[in-house]
Amino acid sequence: MSIVKLTAPLPRTLVAKAVADALAEDLGLIGDVTTNATIPADATATALIKTRATGAVSGLALAEAAFRALDPATEFEIAHPDASTVAPGATIAKITGNARAILSAERVALNFMGRMSGIATLTARYVTAVAGTKAAIVDTRKTTPLLRAFEKYAVRCGGGHNHRIGLFDAVLIKDNHIVAAGGIDNAITAARAHAGHMVKIEVEVDTLTQLEAVLAHQVDAVLLDNMAPETLKEAVAMVAGRALTEASGGVNLDTVRAIAETGVDLISVGALTHSAPVLDLGLDFLA
Amino acid sequence: MSIVKLTAPLPRTLVAKAVADALAEDLGLIGDVTTNATIPADATATALIKTRATGAVSGLALAEAAFRALDPATEFEIAHPDASTVAPGATIAKITGNARAILSAERVALNFMGRMSGIATLTARYVTAVAGTKAAIVDTRKTTPLLRAFEKYAVRCGGGHNHRIGLFDAVLIKDNHIVAAGGIDNAITAARAHAGHMVKIEVEVDTLTQLEAVLAHQVDAVLLDNMAPETLKEAVAMVAGRALTEASGGVNLDTVRAIAETGVDLISVGALTHSAPVLDLGLDFLA
Amino acid sequence: MSIVKLTAPLPRTLVAKAVADALAEDLGLIGDVTTNATIPADATATALIKTRATGAVSGLALAEAAFRALDPATEFEIAHPDASTVAPGATIAKITGNARAILSAERVALNFMGRMSGIATLTARYVTAVAGTKAAIVDTRKTTPLLRAFEKYAVRCGGGHNHRIGLFDAVLIKDNHIVAAGGIDNAITAARAHAGHMVKIEVEVDTLTQLEAVLAHQVDAVLLDNMAPETLKEAVAMVAGRALTEASGGVNLDTVRAIAETGVDLISVGALTHSAPVLDLGLDFLA
Amino acid sequence: MSIVKLTAPLPRTLVAKAVADALAEDLGLIGDVTTNATIPADATATALIKTRATGAVSGLALAEAAFRALDPATEFEIAHPDASTVAPGATIAKITGNARAILSAERVALNFMGRMSGIATLTARYVTAVAGTKAAIVDTRKTTPLLRAFEKYAVRCGGGHNHRIGLFDAVLIKDNHIVAAGGIDNAITAARAHAGHMVKIEVEVDTLTQLEAVLAHQVDAVLLDNMAPETLKEAVAMVAGRALTEASGGVNLDTVRAIAETGVDLISVGALTHSAPVLDLGLDFLA
Amino acid sequence: MSIVKLTAPLPRTLVAKAVADALAEDLGLIGDVTTNATIPADATATALIKTRATGAVSGLALAEAAFRALDPATEFEIAHPDASTVAPGATIAKITGNARAILSAERVALNFMGRMSGIATLTARYVTAVAGTKAAIVDTRKTTPLLRAFEKYAVRCGGGHNHRIGLFDAVLIKDNHIVAAGGIDNAITAARAHAGHMVKIEVEVDTLTQLEAVLAHQVDAVLLDNMAPETLKEAVAMVAGRALTEASGGVNLDTVRAIAETGVDLISVGALTHSAPVLDLGLDFLA
Amino acid sequence: MSIVKLTAPLPRTLVAKAVADALAEDLGLIGDVTTNATIPADATATALIKTRATGAVSGLALAEAAFRALDPATEFEIAHPDASTVAPGATIAKITGNARAILSAERVALNFMGRMSGIATLTARYVTAVAGTKAAIVDTRKTTPLLRAFEKYAVRCGGGHNHRIGLFDAVLIKDNHIVAAGGIDNAITAARAHAGHMVKIEVEVDTLTQLEAVLAHQVDAVLLDNMAPETLKEAVAMVAGRALTEASGGVNLDTVRAIAETGVDLISVGALTHSAPVLDLGLDFLA
């Protein structure tokens, strides 16, 4: 894994609210009873966010905001910014501030960063697996409810690309839409007539026959669902650059390279956001 | 896996808000452009939530609320309630209502249920693995920010038990607290003096020497961190019923049985909530 | 003006919150002191929403929600649905329910509908003015803060189309971006590299020379800013179908037809949302 | 138009939330994709808010808050404060800060200021039109839902006065109230009995006969609806200072002077807030 | 105490949110652990809200909403509506519904009703104490933060009247305003010039000399602060009906009658909302 | 009363929101019309929060936040921190800042502090009354809805202790639970089986016979409801240290000492939060 040039940062406006809600969830009406009983109110401390595994970093803005929410004077020095690759034992950031604040915000900070770095790390594995091909690794809408902005950002930190944000910003015509509309032609015509002119249209197909029907229309992308590599290769040839080609279904780290080598433009992987294990991060206090 | 008797349902008050926020995230300002273009406004449909893998169900209230938020007249019949075990191909619920509503709420419903059922399923695996021992499987605070209520509920659906809810409802004294308080004695005394009388106190120890120091005090539980099974067994003997014993660290499906057989009361597993893969659920439309 | 086939309804999830907030703004902590003092608590009434001017209807869902928020049993019969054209004196809807509820919600209902119908009406005037040309009338991001979803919906009710929803769902490269990126080539290349594959790219140009530079790249649309009709015609010819052509600047009801006749695909009109006068609606009580 | 002495500033507590919500609406989950792709993260810029038309300024606090929300270090220098009159080409404020922040917040800032300055400008036109008479120009409750505080403030910036804030802070008895209460006497008596002692009472009348009936009671104001100037003059004479007199209905820039010269105390104009065109403002970057 | 004719009900729009927030406060992320463990999910029950003391009822809408939030099918029969007087042992309302819902919502319902009924009861005591005089008992802004709407409503339930709602709906000039404005004349003139025409003006005075200065102006009310009854009587004579007279300071149940007999129009009592003891209510389950 | 060592501060995360909501309630859409009309925008002032009665201080963080919300540059010097005892005339804090901000935030600041200090003061009276016994004074769930965190904090400021926070963090088995579960044995067994292992269990009993049945089980606490002192003494002897003993019912400042001398561990007093009169605080401006 190498460092990704990250051009689309997390919208600043989303961070404060998510952190405030997460802290409220953990602190409740009483706060951190253990820390308040055992740590003097004015004690200060320095702690390091370290990784215990290899991975890609994501979520530092949320961690920083969590500590600052409890102690606005917290110093937060970043050693490895978001989208960096880190090895076990690496220090990602150094935090200096009120000791109670650090201990009370620790879990919220790590819960955000661990999950987001887990997604970035899994994404980076897929990106690495297809290195040298033209295929981009893209996410899906299979994200954790309420955390989509953060998870799509984490995918970008791992070198992946974002598919549509939600149901509102792109058309993706699937089986049920086609049936209800009375066929592929009707569905595409209806979508073209009603979607805004800045909205792209993608159509999902399961077979080359369906693909042929779709290609009678001008669409922006075709989603080739659950096709074997050889079929994908044939599909790419049929499309011949008239639309972006996206493979989905049956994608895992064992199969992704073969899929990429079929020449598809995009490979979408739901697991990036719905099944990435956490990156094992910890907070170590300096003596 | 067998059916769990579920006595602590999800607080009703949390469901509506989470579903509304999740739908807002997916529908944005414009809604489902694909569905609105291709499906008649008054079309109705029937669809089934089916599982493609073996697992434990969790999150039906959220799915139901998602469909009802878009069509209040939706009928939602549950075939396998939360905490049920289901086999691949099983129908979990049947939804009848406005076709646009079903298609537009599908992903939100499945994102909640898939994640929660994934947690329930992984929990159930751990519970099964320790069957016949006295050990209970418990969760941690390593939950997805903003979703703790749902994830702790999912653990209960899988037959697990909940550890403390947050920083506020129980004392858990760790290394840093002990150092800052000037030793185990001070830390426990301070906690006892300042925590409410209905708040239990647990102390984390890494060694039997530390455990001995803790046992000089009356505490409700001891967290035996990263101990080998033989050490755990010794620890359980030392405690001799004076406190609950909880094992944590190095727990996975390969090691959990041996840990349980040491006689500990509780085994806490962060992975239940931070690294459970999604349960593969799908929505199938009836022709 | 004729009736528009409206395929993208207002997302249901947005209506309740907007109406609740608007009622809170008008009712405050005490409620409608005049109505509560003078109207018996259990009086019922029937009232008609009527238009005093010609226009296009928009916002009925918000009006209905406002009355129902104060009396859930309110009957709300729609005579002219959203996107209908109405003449002075026409009854748009009939409301039967608690008299206090109708009087207390009246202003909120009319404030929403008057503004939205005003936008729909102005949009319909532009649409009518370009009838027979291929040009679509589209909105901009010059909307009332907090009401974008409702105003973009109102544009659709008037027969217009929506441009991008916000800064997030499409790229629109303007002067400042080009300067900062070091030229048109860099800007387009950077946008293509970093935007998601489902995101369209439009570039704003002021001159035909700039247009030529843009056309060296594959872009989805060009925004031809402040060009005279003859220049627009030349631009359309230069583009030759390789991108959508959008005219903007200096558009009003006197100029829009000439602009449309240049053959542009789209004409964007900020005034649709930032300067539409209200449609004059009133609530008449039946004796 | 001259500079107004502005004594009732916008409550500080309302600004931050409105700006945060408006930015969320425009930035969504991903942010400004164009700016993030083309502008370096650490670029700085200076830009001027300039007016392209003559008008009265309103809304600077919201603009400042918008830029600061994305870059807290933004410098915001005000050349013409709220309630100033500006001529085409005038610089209203100068902004120095992070270039991405300025570009991404530009539209939100201008959408607030353009709308509010449009209201202030239209108000100032009415105020100027009645100069030398004793009539004050007042607003109504026909405001944009969710923006009443900002629009009523804009009216004050234009030299107008605020009528009641909502349904809760003053009694305004209209036809329907009179009918339901069983006559003017009953209605006024009921209002006086039930409204708080700090709540003023105004009664709407359409004819001099109705006015006579109202004047049998002590009321704070009478709303003379849709009366011709000569009738208004007669009404003012009948009232003879016993109540404030307010004219409404049929008020526009052509008629307002004649209405003012009848001697009424107040002229209420719904158009101030429901139909004011935006003031044309732009953001110019300094090279 | 007698039954009050209650004409200004609690705005419906405020109830649902307050109840949802209060339930969230009490149920947290897990819900009612005791009830969920011991009561079958489908058990039903009937319970009575009874009073153990004499008092005036207030807050039934909040109690009903609390039970319905947990079981929408709850039947809620009201025996003594808000503003009724009840004697010890009286049943105020009867609740039939899901047993878990009743037990889990009980405390929230009683906390609202007990506090509000306590305020209504104390208000009714003051109202009774001044019976036969012309003095009205009014509240102040000394309310519980976040609950002003409910507490001002409770005052109305007890037969009291509401003073201004907040800082925004009436002018109340006090010492500090007078000093800062440079004297009483300046302060009143400034207030008259800047407040809206529907806003009443009251001035606080401590001495008859100050009162004389105030009476040189036309004001709506004078607040006679901390004056002895004989001074109040003199003040009332001086005012001679030119303004409402309000007594405040040193008011308690022992002194209020003498104050009322001075002829003042209003007596404001902060204790109504800041120091009313709860009315002792309980929930009794029917066997 | 003596100074309490306060170890569990108010969670920082709760203060800002409560203060913002309370200010919104008091300032509405227009703000403080009196202050804005009479006080120059740039005037500064210094004021003292003083007490007019003896009491215990609580709520300074909320007062400080209220003044800072309106003028971020406010200086707030604390003379007597939360949990201090103050005598009439004592200065609790000194505020220097914008004069309008101080006047406009005054009431919100005092409403929070007066109520919280009232609770702290009443608590301190109970604590003093039992001095020398082992009994701790604890609060209940009879708190003002929406303000529980602040009221439980105020109890701690007065030297009291917190009982459970809500329904979620401890089991408290009462009559209705026992009846529904089919007896004390079933109820306790069910609670033990279903509550988390960190959740304590308390059982309420009215008689010594019931107590005996409870003591057949291991419970953490017993609530001895409405027992006479001699019965309490007997109960304490029966329990013999096997559980915490809590007395409740019939507790007031006259009876509490006798109750404490029975040897119970805890005395819970609902009046601490439901009926504490406000502490009389005022804001005095320095000339």
Side-chain angles (χ1 to χ4, degrees), chain E residues 25-26 31 33-35 39 107 111 115 141 143-144 146-148 167-168 171-172 177 180 274-275 278 285, chain F residues 25-26 31 33-35 39 107 111 115 141 143-144 146-148 167-168 171-172 177 180 274-275 278:
Chain E
E25 191 181 59
D26 206 20
V33 290
T34 311
T35 294
I39 312 279
R107 180 57 27 222
N111 281 353
R115 175 166 304 266
R141 285 170 46 247
T143 55
T144 308
L146 314 185
L147 297 186
R148 184 169 290 172
L167 292 165
F168 50 84
V171 167
L172 179 42
H177 302 111
H274 71 52
S275 296
V278 82
F285 280 74
Chain F
E25 191 182 56
D26 205 20
V33 290
T34 312
T35 294
I39 311 280
R107 181 57 26 227
N111 282 352
R115 176 167 303 268
R141 283 171 46 247
T143 56
T144 308
L146 315 185
L147 298 185
R148 184 169 291 172
L167 291 164
F168 50 87
V171 168
L172 177 45
H177 302 113
H274 71 50
S275 295
V278 80

Side-chain angles (χ1 to χ4, degrees), chain F residues 88-230:
Chain F
T91 293
I92 298 174
K94 179 177 169 189
I95 304 138
T96 304
N98 180 274
R100 286 185 174 182
I102 295 176
L103 279 161
S104 299
E106 170 184 353
R107 181 57 26 227
V108 165
L110 294 184
N111 282 352
F112 272 118
M113 278 200 71
R115 176 167 303 268
M116 291 170 71
S117 300
I119 291 172
T121 300
L122 184 58
T123 304
R125 291 218 178 93
Y126 278 92
V127 170
T128 300
V130 302
T133 72
K134 69 183 247 201
I137 299 298
V138 300
D139 57 24
T140 67
R141 283 171 46 247
K142 296 180 178 177
T143 56
T144 308
L146 315 185
L147 298 185
R148 184 169 291 172
F150 305 116
E151 296 190 345
K152 286 197 166 259
Y153 169 76
V155 167
R156 299 197 297 274
C157 288
H161 293 255
N162 297 147
H163 207 297
R164 59 177 179 165
I165 313 169
L167 291 164
F168 50 87
D169 62 315
V171 168
L172 177 45
I173 299 175
K174 302 188 180 183
D175 274 12
N176 295 311
H177 302 113
I178 291 170
V179 170
I184 279 182
D185 295 351
N186 283 354
I188 297 176
T189 305
R192 180 53 68 219
H194 296 303
H197 68 281
M198 292 303 280
V199 174
K200 286 196 175 177
I201 296 179
E202 181 168 13
V203 185
E204 178 180 324
V205 298
D206 299 321
T207 65
L208 297 180
T209 312
Q210 286 176 325
L211 178 60
E212 194 163 19
V214 169
L215 290 174
H217 300 267
Q218 193 187 353
V219 299
D220 298 288
V222 288
L223 194 158
L224 309 164
D225 195 38
N226 271 316
M227 290 184 178
E230 52 274 30

